[in-house]
């Protein structure tokens, strides 16, 4: 039985999309129990495997992350993280303030021994639909080479356990494929990674090959990763605009226009990484999943399922073991 | 009369696309003189404003940049850069080895007094077709905050002179819009830039807004800039693949398919930054323009035109003056 704590109050469309997702999840999975944290007056479900716990506060998108976590002790997010900390739940899921959730992970759930800096991981879409594990997308903006090395180990375990890839190809995001390319950070990280026996290192990968299925895990620092992720998001949107303005204007037939609009929407969805579930904060003594702030019920459901898989495949235990063996 | 030195031997399709572009350029502009460096046996034009100078060597894409520039003294690229150094030409254009061209700029043409690190600038497409000046895209991978500040000054002058924007909006590429966001590099650069009176600073810009016409100049370090540029390139390609596989497969009518293919090609072109001319190495005592390695004649022609505008608007003189006034 997987036990997952859920923040009912986080995200643009909370609590109703959260409740819809939770209801579907307990319906679909017989081996799932949910502990829900939030305003009980807004709770309308009735299910033996959902436990509602009332909280009097909520953390907003505007709250300063660390301060919010330290002061709003009875917020749904803090209480949810505490449930992981004290062992009542193995994993937690929130669509709320990203910075606050990272702080809750760091200060409440806590780091695994040997992990210098946790990393935020997402699964990016690839052209062939397989997807690629990409980290760090924003937990650690000032990374050192040993943090990138640690990200490789965490990403390797995540790809093996959650994405079921026996021998993941681990690559380093860089400005060229040759070993001597890059800035001082990536040059040093390349050296560390190529000497490792903890994962299968396939070398540097350029940003233009991200979606081409050349690796199963792509490692970078939190600044660059966040940049690339937002770039993808923005380009998909800008591209959609251009397509709409330009391509659709020319199609005279109304039915054809409708069909094409639907197709463009579907393709844009295929490129939308939030469809692959949430992002996961790795390196903690528990599983913390961040659903996109603008999640709909389906996306939040994916994030719950992702938390469940991570819990069942015991990624935290694997990471504790492997990261403890990193010689720095 | 603008005098431009051209490397006839650089690029995937040299020399014939270079010769085609040069021929069109001297035809279109009465006030343009070209000095062409390369293998005279492959030269077949005959024009009073083109001077052919024979060189016995060429630098290849595989050559190690600094070594190539130091050893291949009679290469077309070295001789071209020397023509700028000794005042015979105001600007030079090459589609050859990017690293070698940067080295030629640095070691032969030389830096302007006060410029710590030259920066490579491109004009990126925007959704509204206006375009945005983006630098550094790869000259300086290990940048410090004062280099980003200097890039802002160089980008400001470039936008004013070459793109004819009276008061360019200068933004800093960052992972959030708030002043306190970023890594230690961008936080410090933000502070320096917001205190400056040399340009109109509009704050941080996120990578997802790159193409949305929110700024006229976007400043970043060479590592991040190169990453974003290659990401754009790659996404445009991956997107094109998905569109082709998915959208076109469904259109049964043959004529409609042809029309759509043409449209997709045109849109892909609109997103292709090389259509906006070459990239320019700023901060040197002369104008060095890099045309894309896979340039066709039209793209190389754009690069020549760009070099001509940069020469006529005297950007080097403006940069010498303004950069000399930076207090560090």
């Amino acid at each position: 039985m997987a036990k997952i704590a859920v923040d009912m109050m986080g995200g643009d469309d909370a609590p109703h999309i959260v409740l819809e997702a939770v209801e579907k999840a307990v319906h679909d999975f017989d081996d799932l129990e949910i502990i829900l944290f939030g305003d009980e007056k807004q709770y309308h479900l009735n299910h033996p495997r959902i436990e509602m716990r009332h909280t009097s506060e909520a953390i907003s998108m505007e709250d300063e992350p660390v301060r919010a976590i330290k002061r709003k002790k009875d917020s749904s997010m803090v209480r949810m993280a505490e449930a992981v900390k004290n062992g009542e739940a193995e994993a937690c899921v929130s669509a709320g303030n990203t910075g606050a959730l990272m702080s809750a992970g760091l200060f409440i759930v806590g780091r695994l021994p040997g992990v210098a800096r946790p990393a935020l991981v997402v699964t990016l879409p690839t052209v062939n639909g397989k997807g690629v594990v990409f980290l760090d997308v924003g937990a650690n903006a000032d990374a050192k080479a040993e943090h990138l090395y640690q990200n490789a180990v965490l990403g390797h375990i995540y790809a093996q356990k959650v994405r079921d890839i026996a021998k993941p190809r681990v690559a380093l995001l860089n400005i060229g494929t040759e070993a001597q390319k890059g800035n001082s950070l990536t040059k040093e990280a390349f050296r560390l990674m190529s000497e490792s026996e903890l994962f299968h290192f396939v070398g540097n990968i350029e940003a233009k090959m991200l979606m081409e299925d050349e690796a199963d895990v792509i490692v970078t620092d939190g600044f660059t990763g966040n940049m690339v992720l937002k770039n993808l998001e923005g380009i998909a949107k800008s591209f959609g605009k251009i397509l709409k303005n330009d391509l659709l204007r020319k199609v005279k037939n109304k039915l054809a226009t409708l069909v094409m609009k639907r197709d463009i929407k579907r393709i844009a969805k295929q490129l939308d990484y939030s469809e692959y579930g949430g992002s996961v904060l790795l390196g903690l003594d528990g599983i913390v999943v961040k659903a996109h702030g603008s999640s709909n019920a389906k996306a939040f459901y994916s994030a719950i399922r992702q938390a469940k898989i991570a819990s069942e495949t015991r990624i935290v235990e694997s990471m504790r073991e492997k990261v403890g063996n990193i010689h720095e």
Side-chain angles (χ1 to χ4, degrees), chain A:
Chain A
M1 187 67 72
K3 272 203 169 185
I4 296 176
V6 171
D7 175 5
M8 187 173 126
M9 312 311 284
D12 302 344
D13 299 310
H16 80 269
I17 64 109
V18 177
L19 292 172
E20 198 183 324
V22 164
E23 186 173 27
K24 182 169 161 50
V26 290
H27 175 269
D28 289 358
F29 307 115
D30 289 339
D31 57 347
L32 174 67
E33 276 182 31
I34 299 281
I35 313 176
L36 203 55
F37 294 89
D39 178 10
E40 65 184 359
K41 287 191 296 294
Q42 296 186 63
Y43 179 71
H44 56 72
L45 303 177
N46 183 8
H47 193 284
R49 282 185 278 110
I50 305 177
E51 182 191 338
M52 177 72 221
R53 295 196 191 166
H54 182 69
T55 61
S56 62
E57 290 175 294
I59 290 175
S60 76
M61 292 298 187
E62 288 70 39
D63 272 326
E64 197 283 308
V66 178
R67 193 185 324 191
I69 292 303
K70 303 235 159 173
R71 297 202 181 160
K72 293 191 169 173
K73 292 290 182 202
D74 197 37
S75 62
S76 52
M77 192 188 278
V78 167
R79 295 271 309 276
M80 168 195 85
E82 282 171 352
V84 174
K85 174 68 183 172
N86 64 30
E88 291 183 279
E90 293 117 37
C92 60
V93 182
S94 172
N97 185 319
T98 308
L101 187 62
M102 288 199 282
S103 301
L106 212 54
F107 299 122
I108 301 171
V109 178
R111 283 177 292 163
L112 280 171
V115 170
R117 302 282 172 88
L120 203 56
V121 65
V122 294
T123 302
L124 287 183
T126 56
V127 169
N128 65 358
K130 193 179 160 197
V132 58
V133 171
F134 184 53
L135 76 169
D136 169 23
V137 297
N140 179 16
D142 278 304
K144 295 190 176 130
E146 51 266 34
H147 303 149
L148 296 193
Y149 178 83
Q150 168 218 281
N151 291 350
V153 178
L154 298 175
H156 162 84
I157 296 170
Y158 186 82
Q160 274 194 330
K161 299 283 178 176
V162 176
R163 310 214 72 233
D164 202 21
I165 299 164
K167 193 186 173 188
R169 297 161 296 169
V170 179
L172 175 66
L173 187 63
N174 208 339
I175 54 176
T177 52
E178 304 88 341
Q180 76 280 11
K181 282 274 176 147
N183 56 10
S184 49
L185 174 68
T186 54
K187 281 178 198 165
E188 173 64 8
F190 184 96
R191 198 186 59 73
L192 290 176
M193 290 171 75
S194 55
E195 285 166 3
S196 176
E197 285 170 11
L198 290 175
F199 49 84
H200 174 45
F201 183 52
V202 296
N204 288 326
I205 189 167
E206 289 185 87
K208 67 179 168 189
M209 302 308 280
L210 269 183
M211 296 162 80
E212 298 292 327
D213 190 31
E214 299 230 322
D216 301 304
V217 178
I218 299 177
V219 170
T220 188
D221 66 281
F223 184 85
T224 308
N226 194 278
M227 200 62 86
V228 165
L229 199 66
K230 287 196 177 145
N231 203 18
L232 277 171
E233 224 179 284
I235 294 165
K237 247 177 222 157
S238 304
F239 217 97
K241 257 188 220 171
I242 294 174
L243 273 180
K244 247 193 217 159
N245 293 343
D246 201 318
L247 212 54
L248 287 183
R249 219 185 40 208
K250 298 203 171 170
V251 183
K252 297 287 183 280
N253 181 302
K254 267 206 171 166
L255 184 66
T257 308
L258 277 175
V259 172
M260 274 183 62
K261 266 195 182 160
R262 210 193 48 200
D263 282 348
I264 288 175
K265 230 179 174 171
R266 194 174 35 74
I267 293 173
K269 241 189 166 141
Q270 192 181 329
L271 288 176
D272 182 358
Y273 63 93
S274 72
E275 289 288 311
Y276 282 69
S279 49
V280 185
L281 198 54
L282 299 180
L284 300 178
D285 196 8
I287 296 152
V288 177
V289 178
K290 167 73 177 74
H292 205 278
S294 61
S295 287
N296 56 18
K298 201 184 146 204
F300 202 92
Y301 170 87
S302 298
I304 293 175
R305 200 168 59 100
Q306 195 179 13
K308 183 172 178 287
I309 297 172
S311 157
E312 286 163 354
T313 54
R314 308 185 71 71
I315 60 167
V316 173
E317 288 70 15
S318 296
M319 285 174 186
R320 190 197 311 277
E321 194 184 310
K322 279 238 179 172
V323 175
N325 289 329
I326 296 183
H327 305 289
E328 280 186 40

